[in-house]
Amino acid sequence: MKHLILGAGPAGVIAAETIRKHAPHDEITLVGDEPEAPYSRMAIPYLLIGNIGENGTHLRHNAGHFEAQRITLKRGRAVSLDTGARTVKLDSGEALPYDRLLIATGSSPATPPIPGIDGPGVRACWTLAAARAILAPATPGARVLQMGAGFIGCIIMEALAARGVKLSVVEMGDRMVPRMMGPTAGGMIKQWCEKKGVAVHTGARVEAIERPAGGALRARLSNGQTLEADLVISATGVKPNIGFLEGSAVKCLLGVLTDEHLQTSVPGVYAAGDCAEAFDKVSGKTIVSAIQPNAAEQARVAALNMVGQQAELKGVTQINVLDTLGLISASFGNW
């Protein structure tokens, strides 16, 4: 049996290892689109703070781990899926065959259509390569403007503040972490951040990023203010990496639609992690909940079904715990 896993993040790695445990003689190929060892994005803020080195972000630390597991690591990015021929075409032009396929391609930053956002000095803190580019300019006293104060944005903000930068945050919502917190809690987090020296602009958005000749970056806000910055961080949310499935038989809504076995609309094709829209028995609907515990459990359930064992996803975890500059908050349930 040939198992092909697209995505070398937590979901992909856990699925590959689960398959190997239960199917010792099957072929497993794990495809990642970055020139890095498989790593966790959630560790990047700790890298920025300086608590860990790059190897601390790696999902597995033993040398030769994947070779010992007989898991073939391959670099590439999926560009199309032919479910009839059971092949995935990579950006290199190579077509990889499969008997069972797991789509664990994760998500990418959602870049807002702001003039100047694609120019120099603007970064999305999402990859190790981006983290390396942020480390040099994010020095003590540097003026950093962060767009977005959602869950991921607040984690990045924590790391930037620890580096001693002069930080300003712009959030379109009327409060911080608007998808995780109600008005009272979101307002409390804003007040806490302001007391810690972070300038927080809620109910505002960046309308343009300008680069005056020989000067700092200049961000024009919707509220009429103009902020100067040495570095701009875009943390305005993420979107599932499912574009390569366009035109295929795999049904997608917000993410790749799956059933309680993590199987898609095509038999033999499964999905897990940030790109999966998984069925939640508790709420009775499908949900994209892009947190690492969900990726891990979905990967485990998908992998068991890929090797012929019946397994069901019990539910999609909708709980988050956030540390914002020392203030601990939690959100769960139908708040």
Side-chain angles (χ1 to χ4, degrees):
M1 182 82 73
K2 287 184 171 65
H3 299 277
L4 178 59
I5 300 172
L6 303 178
V13 168
I14 289 171
E17 293 173 345
T18 303
I19 290 171
R20 173 56 67 229
K21 179 179 179 181
H22 295 277
H25 304 297
D26 287 2
E27 293 183 28
I28 305 171
T29 301
L30 182 63
V31 180
D33 64 355
E34 295 184 52
E36 320 283 357
Y39 69 94
S40 170
R41 300 197 194 285
M42 296 308 296
I44 288 176
Y46 302 101
L47 173 66
L48 292 177
I49 293 171
N51 288 346
I52 59 173
E54 284 195 13
N55 63 345
T57 69
H58 295 170
L59 290 167
R60 301 294 179 263
H61 299 285
N62 295 336
H65 171 80
F66 294 99
E67 292 86 349
Q69 292 272 316
R70 289 180 291 110
I71 296 169
T72 301
L73 287 176
K74 193 173 188 66
R75 185 182 176 190
R77 180 174 54 84
V79 296
S80 63
L81 167 63
D82 186 336
T83 55
R86 288 181 174 257
T87 58
V88 172
K89 186 177 180 181
L90 302 183
D91 53 355
S92 64
E94 183 180 5
L96 300 179
Y98 68 86
D99 297 308
R100 297 288 183 271
L101 172 67
L102 177 66
I103 301 167
T105 46
S107 54
S108 295
T111 304
I114 297 172
I117 198 169
D118 294 323
V122 182
R123 299 286 179 180
C125 186
W126 194 245
T127 64
L128 276 178
R132 296 183 192 114
I134 289 169
L135 282 169
T139 55
R143 296 166 298 177
V144 178
L145 170 63
Q146 179 176 302
M147 298 186 297
F151 180 77
I152 293 172
C154 283
I155 295 174
I156 297 170
M157 181 184 68
E158 174 100 7
L160 292 170
R163 293 185 66 80
V165 305
K166 185 179 180 182
L167 186 59
S168 298
V169 177
V170 178
E171 166 57 47
M172 289 179 58
D174 63 352
R175 59 192 183 274
M176 295 186 71
V177 214
R179 294 183 62 190
M180 175 178 166
M181 296 295 174
T184 300
M188 290 170 66
I189 294 173
K190 176 182 177 180
Q191 292 171 11
W192 177 271
C193 291
E194 289 174 333
K195 288 179 180 178
K196 294 290 185 177
V198 179
V200 182
H201 305 264
T202 52
R205 65 183 183 277
V206 175
E207 292 191 327
I209 298 171
E210 301 166 344
R211 294 169 176 81
L217 298 172
R218 187 179 297 162
R220 288 194 286 107
L221 307 189
S222 58
N223 61 11
Q225 290 183 271
T226 298
L227 302 177
E228 289 193 343
D230 303 302
L231 173 68
V232 175
I233 303 292
S234 179
T236 53
V238 296
K239 57 184 178 181
N241 292 325
I242 58 176
F244 74 99
L245 296 172
E246 186 175 349
S248 77
V250 175
K251 186 176 181 180
C252 298
L253 296 177
L254 292 177
V256 182
L257 192 63
T258 66
D259 61 15
E260 64 270 28
H261 307 291
L262 277 306
Q263 187 167 237
T264 71
S265 56
V266 177
V269 178
Y270 297 79
D274 289 12
C275 67
E277 187 163 346
F279 182 74
D280 176 37
K281 287 187 173 183
V282 176
S283 63
K285 60 183 181 181
T286 54
I287 298 171
V288 177
S289 184
I291 60 176
Q292 192 160 313
N294 281 329
E297 178 61 9
Q298 291 169 14
R300 185 188 70 84
V301 172
L304 289 174
N305 284 289
M306 290 169 73
V307 297
Q309 296 190 24
Q310 282 279 26
E312 291 187 3
L313 188 70
K314 303 302 180 185
V316 178
T317 301
Q318 295 185 80
I319 178 171
N320 262 330
V321 179
L322 181 63
D323 182 350
T324 311
L325 307 180
L327 178 65
I328 310 299
S329 58
S331 174
F332 53 90
N334 188 17
W335 56 267

